[in-house]
Amino acid sequence: MAALSYNVRYLSAEDYMQLLYNMDTVLQQQYSSFEDIHECYYYGQMFRLKEINDDTEDVILNDQSVIEEMRTSDFYLFEYLSCRGSS
């Protein structure tokens, strides 16, 4: 939403950057890692779907599969190292 607002010139570059900074600050206070964010998204997705049927089960299994793939591919390790400037 922020990018769209900036792209249509509703937000100035300064306001856009301030909004991104504010969102970044809140996310850093709320979550310890991208893995935490993804896990909360997954649980939220299950809660939003409310009932299990063939369609919702596919969505949940897909989300679960993507998160598991990120865990096993060292995605979160790379994210951890890149955030700290290590190689």
Side-chain angles (χ1 to χ4, degrees), residues 10-29:
Y10 181 76
L11 291 175
S12 68
E14 184 178 329
D15 290 341
Y16 175 64
M17 294 306 292
Q18 184 63 48
L19 182 60
L20 291 180
Y21 174 79
N22 292 345
M23 290 188 306
D24 184 52
T25 301
V26 168
L27 287 172
Q28 287 180 19
Q29 291 171 351

Side-chain angles (χ1 to χ4, degrees), residues 53-81:
N53 60 39
D54 290 342
D55 293 333
T56 59
E57 187 174 9
D58 288 345
V59 171
I60 290 171
L61 290 174
N62 182 60
D63 290 346
Q64 184 181 30
S65 173
V66 169
I67 292 170
E68 186 58 33
E69 184 176 330
M70 287 189 285
R71 276 193 187 117
T72 59
S73 69
D74 291 335
F75 173 85
Y76 296 115
L77 176 62
F78 176 76
E79 170 256 328
Y80 174 82
L81 294 174

